[in-house]
Amino acid sequence: MSQLQDNFGRRFHYLRMSVTDVCNFKCSYCLPDGYHPTGKQHFLSLSEIENLVSAFSQVGTQKIRITGGEPTLRKDFTDIVRIVSDNPSIHTVATTTNGYRLAQHAKEWFDAGLRRINVSVDSLDPKMFYQITGENKFDEVMRGIDAALTAGFERVKVNAVLLKGMNDKDLPRFLNWIKNTPIDLRFIELMETGLGRDYFQAHHLAGADIKAQLQSQGWSLDIADIDDGPAQNFSHPDYRGRIGLIMPYAKNFCATCNRLRVSAKGKLHLCLFTESGLELRDLLQHPDQQAELIERLHAQLAQKKETHYLHQGITGVTQHLASIGG
Ligand code: SAM
Ligand code: SF4
């Protein structure tokens, strides 16, 4: 079966699969008022997930990231990890989490086949962490990162959204932390969502400023790896950790796009920002629908646009990233 490819020659070997919209944090840039259910909470079942993973694995997907909302809120999260890791075509099973259950479950998830983990830590100052996430769980999350490193995860990635007037003074603290710890730190530029312009304009910090600061301190840009996607990665001879910058507003950001997204209710999103989701769920009900599902995936890929239109303030249908997994 042929690899998923769009009209601009981009190949898609990476799927971000959301398994829930629910979240227990209230990050000010994502769910400032916390999660409020809309409509029926009927997220993908284990058998639907199995059919989805199977179809994507037949069209070249090699890496699946389980995301949300907060994916680890699902009671069957370990079963989901196992379904993905049992598929021989999927080489990498990853998740992105706010880390609040990591200390207790890192070993269990590793044993089920999870190999990459991104933990969101927007500040190393517990007070600022609370101010940004609305949760007093800094120590718990940091214990989770230690537990992941002990459980066997080779490296842990830490995501931090850069916010003007909030965590923008934290760079020295982050750098100090990764001097002797094998953390891949990923600074994500704030993206405008349906939450509105005001928040964005008040807190958006250009990734290019951080890039300039890093380069002036001896960090150098690494040669891009197939797995990097749109991230720009930096390393420094005196540091065990590395730094990645995700700058969605940078020129050519979309040129290296290698990912597709499926929402927790089974809709395919060709981009985070430009269109409404395309229904897949009707074809996730039986294993004998695989050929039809694959045909639909190929047909939809032809619709993928060359770039997002964030620069024009067009944020698409994505009200917040918890609904589609970031
Ligand atoms: N709840 C999990 C977490 O926070 O890690 C997974 C889902 S969350 C939507 C995935 C990532 O998207 C997180 O690292 C989060 O910081 C990031 N994110 C959410 N809203 C964002 C925004 N408006 N701009 C940039 N990154 C955002
Ligand atoms: Fe929840 Fe993640 Fe959104 Fe924070 S960024 S509110 S942890 S989904």
Side-chain angles (χ1 to χ4, degrees):
M1 204 73 69
S2 60
Q3 158 99 50
L4 286 180
Q5 189 168 342
D6 70 6
N7 292 338
F8 306 96
R10 293 174 296 193
R11 290 162 172 257
F12 298 88
H13 58 80
Y14 177 18
L15 172 67
R16 292 188 172 212
M17 177 178 73
S18 180
V19 294
T20 183
D21 290 354
V22 183
C23 189
N24 56 336
F25 278 31
K26 300 181 205 68
C27 299
S28 62
Y29 51 79
C30 182
L31 290 175
D33 302 320
Y35 171 74
H36 294 290
T38 48
K40 213 165 147 230
Q41 298 316 294
H42 184 38
F43 302 122
L44 291 175
S45 67
L46 290 180
S47 71
E48 288 172 320
I49 288 173
E50 195 163 4
N51 291 334
L52 182 77
V53 171
S54 170
F56 271 91
S57 74
Q58 293 173 62
V59 288
T61 299
Q62 297 174 348
K63 173 176 174 183
I64 294 188
R65 178 173 300 281
I66 307 165
T67 181
E70 176 47 42
T72 68
L73 283 177
R74 272 195 61 156
K75 294 206 169 54
D76 54 3
F77 180 74
T78 307
D79 299 321
I80 297 173
V81 170
R82 208 168 284 118
I83 285 175
V84 182
S85 73
D86 278 352
N87 186 307
S89 303
I90 308 299
H91 302 167
T92 311
V93 188
T95 195
T96 304
T97 172
N98 61 27
Y100 97 110
R101 288 182 75 205
L102 192 53
Q104 277 171 297
H105 296 277
K107 176 86 172 68
E108 176 188 324
W109 299 337
F110 185 82
D111 291 345
L114 190 68
R115 285 296 173 269
R116 302 263 182 99
I117 195 148
N118 286 37
V119 187
S120 297
V121 184
D122 290 322
S123 177
L124 294 178
D125 168 7
K127 279 196 201 125
M128 181 52 69
F129 181 93
Y130 173 67
Q131 198 179 321
I132 296 174
T133 63
E135 286 295 324
N136 222 340
K137 294 204 164 70
F138 175 76
D139 291 339
E140 219 165 312
V141 173
M142 295 307 275
R143 271 201 307 279
I145 293 174
D146 290 341
L149 290 169
T150 311
F153 289 93
E154 256 174 56
R155 300 181 80 87
V156 172
K157 281 190 178 166
V158 166
N159 291 357
V161 179
L162 298 166
L163 300 164
K164 191 159 68 186
M166 295 182 94
N167 61 4
D168 50 351
K169 305 283 183 300
D170 282 11
L171 186 63
R173 219 164 167 160
F174 273 119
L175 292 184
N176 193 34
W177 183 40
I178 63 169
K179 190 137 197 171
N180 297 307
T181 319
I183 296 282
D184 281 357
L185 202 54
R186 318 209 91 196
F187 290 123
I188 309 174
E189 199 172 320
L190 178 68
M191 296 174 236
E192 186 177 348
T193 61
L195 285 180
R197 260 280 88 183
D198 292 352
Y199 183 94
F200 180 77
Q201 282 178 337
H203 297 295
H204 178 250
L205 188 70
D209 294 351
I210 301 290
K211 182 172 174 176
Q213 282 188 54
L214 290 174
Q215 286 179 319
S216 73
Q217 292 177 38
W219 289 82
S220 50
L221 188 61
D222 297 337
I223 295 165
D225 183 85
I226 184 188
D227 228 19
D228 291 344
Q232 292 187 28
N233 291 308
F234 297 81
S235 52
H236 191 297
D238 302 337
Y239 288 76
R240 278 188 79 194
R242 295 183 293 221
I243 296 184
L245 288 182
I246 318 265
M247 301 189 284
Y249 294 90
K251 202 167 157 251
N252 284 337
F253 178 78
C254 302
T256 46
C257 183
N258 61 358
R259 59 207 54 197
L260 294 169
R261 296 173 166 85
V262 172
S263 74
K265 291 184 180 169
K267 289 197 169 169
L268 174 70
H269 290 256
L270 298 173
C271 171
L272 260 181
F273 293 105
T274 49
E275 39 30 68
S276 54
L278 309 154
E279 197 57 74
L280 300 180
R281 205 162 188 178
D282 55 310
L283 296 180
L284 296 177
Q285 303 314 307
H286 304 288
D288 59 9
Q289 294 172 299
Q290 294 276 290
E292 208 182 329
L293 177 56
I294 286 169
E295 205 176 298
R296 188 179 293 176
L297 292 176
H298 280 297
Q300 295 301 349
L301 256 284
Q303 311 296 321
K304 185 165 163 70
K305 307 255 187 339
E306 190 170 12
T307 177
H308 62 59
Y309 298 95
L310 274 179
H311 301 92
Q312 287 111 286
I314 298 172
T315 58
V317 290
T318 307
Q319 190 61 18
H320 47 71
L321 267 51
S323 69
I324 187 182

